[in-house]
Amino acid sequence: MHTDTFHLYSYFCSSCCQRIIIAAHLKGIPLEYTYIDLGTKEHTTEDYKASNPSASVPTLVVTSANGEKTILRQSMTILEYFEERFPNISPLLPSELHDRVQVRDLVNIIAIDTQPTTNSRIVQRVKAIRDSREDQIEFAREAFTDGFRAYDDLLVKQAREGVYSFGDTVSMADVVLVPTVDQALLYKVDLAFAPNVRRVHTALKELEAFKAADWRNQGDTPEKFRIQDA
């Protein structure tokens, strides 16, 4: 693994980048960073779009010892790549097919139903319709609420006992859940309606991989947002 380099193009408060950083820490994958400032629209430059035509983050460039490069441009693609390449290091998907599909259902409630609708690109377009910040906030809060309510209900239906989303082992569901809950908290979403989501999120935020990936603790996090040492 260490004969390759893993170079992540990232932005401090991107929930999709946060997924990759969590997974890399769990699997012991050393990341090198280039920070892309979405605030100054650095992601829209022709130079960056040459690597990622979607003009989004993350982008992961894997360079082998012989210089061959593999570029991955979607966070879920990167998570699946990590899992397939390093399946025996902190596995993020269970070994049993029945269990894997249950974890993937949880993953996709967040990765397909929730996060895309709350993406900054989308909520900014909602805001632009009537030039209303209130519209943006209401839209985002409703989207988070719908997603977390479904996630919470599915946790109950699965009737899994344990600390995290699927038992006592961190799974890919947890990796995608925490960044999106963090994003919802920025919108001041009250999670009282989803007590299981809140419980799982609280437990996961105690783990080192999730602390390391916290948006307030990145190399490009502005000082005013950074976690201050006690």
Side-chain angles (χ1 to χ4, degrees):
M1 179 173 68
H2 296 298
T3 59
D4 290 359
T5 61
F6 300 84
H7 197 116
L8 184 67
Y9 291 77
S10 181
Y11 182 58
F12 76 98
C13 64
S14 163
S15 61
C16 290
C17 292
Q18 193 175 344
R19 297 171 182 174
I20 308 314
I21 299 167
I22 293 168
H25 276 83
L26 289 169
K27 289 183 173 289
I29 300 169
L31 294 176
E32 301 173 357
Y33 291 89
T34 292
Y35 298 110
I36 301 298
D37 190 344
L38 272 59
T40 61
K41 300 190 181 303
E42 193 173 357
H43 58 300
T44 65
T45 64
E46 292 305 316
D47 185 51
Y48 184 71
K49 288 196 294 183
S51 294
N52 189 330
S54 294
S56 63
V57 288
T59 300
L60 181 72
V61 180
V62 182
T63 306
S64 67
N66 65 9
E68 181 180 356
K69 294 183 184 297
T70 301
I71 303 177
L72 302 93
R73 305 169 179 88
Q74 294 290 327
S75 65
M76 294 311 302
T77 305
I78 298 169
L79 291 183
E80 294 283 357
Y81 171 83
F82 283 171
E83 185 66 6
E84 291 178 13
R85 184 167 177 187
F86 309 114
N88 298 321
I89 305 173
S90 297
L92 298 177
L93 291 171
S95 58
E96 296 296 325
L97 175 61
H98 178 264
D99 292 341
R100 285 202 304 276
V101 297
Q102 291 190 71
V103 169
R104 283 190 164 113
D105 263 353
L106 290 167
V107 166
N108 288 320
I109 286 175
I110 302 300
I112 294 177
D113 289 350
T114 309
Q115 188 277 330
T117 57
T118 58
N119 182 281
S120 61
R121 186 177 299 183
I122 300 304
V123 296
Q124 288 298 324
R125 288 175 179 171
V126 171
K127 176 184 175 182
I129 293 171
R130 299 193 304 181
D131 191 24
S132 171
R133 168 74 172 163
E134 289 74 19
D135 286 352
Q136 172 187 341
I137 292 171
E138 181 180 1
F139 175 85
R141 286 176 177 170
E142 288 181 358
F144 285 125
T145 299
D146 289 346
F148 295 150
R149 181 170 284 127
Y151 197 100
D152 207 87
D153 287 350
L154 188 53
L155 290 178
V156 174
K157 285 181 172 62
Q158 289 180 350
R160 296 289 301 191
E161 298 293 334
V163 178
Y164 308 126
S165 293
F166 201 78
D168 293 324
T169 302
V170 173
S171 70
M172 194 175 293
D174 299 309
V175 171
V176 300
L177 175 67
V178 165
T180 303
V181 172
D182 286 353
Q183 187 182 28
L185 293 176
L186 289 173
Y187 277 94
K188 303 188 186 305
V189 174
D190 184 349
L191 294 175
F193 68 92
N196 295 294
V197 167
R198 183 170 58 183
R199 171 184 57 79
V200 169
H201 177 263
T202 299
L204 289 163
K205 292 294 279 189
E206 294 298 315
L207 303 182
E208 289 304 316
F210 291 84
K211 291 179 181 179
D214 192 290
W215 66 274
R216 299 164 296 176
N217 195 35
Q218 302 310 301
D220 59 332
T221 302
E223 189 62 32
K224 64 181 178 180
F225 297 131
R226 297 189 70 82
I227 297 174
Q228 301 299 320
D229 295 331

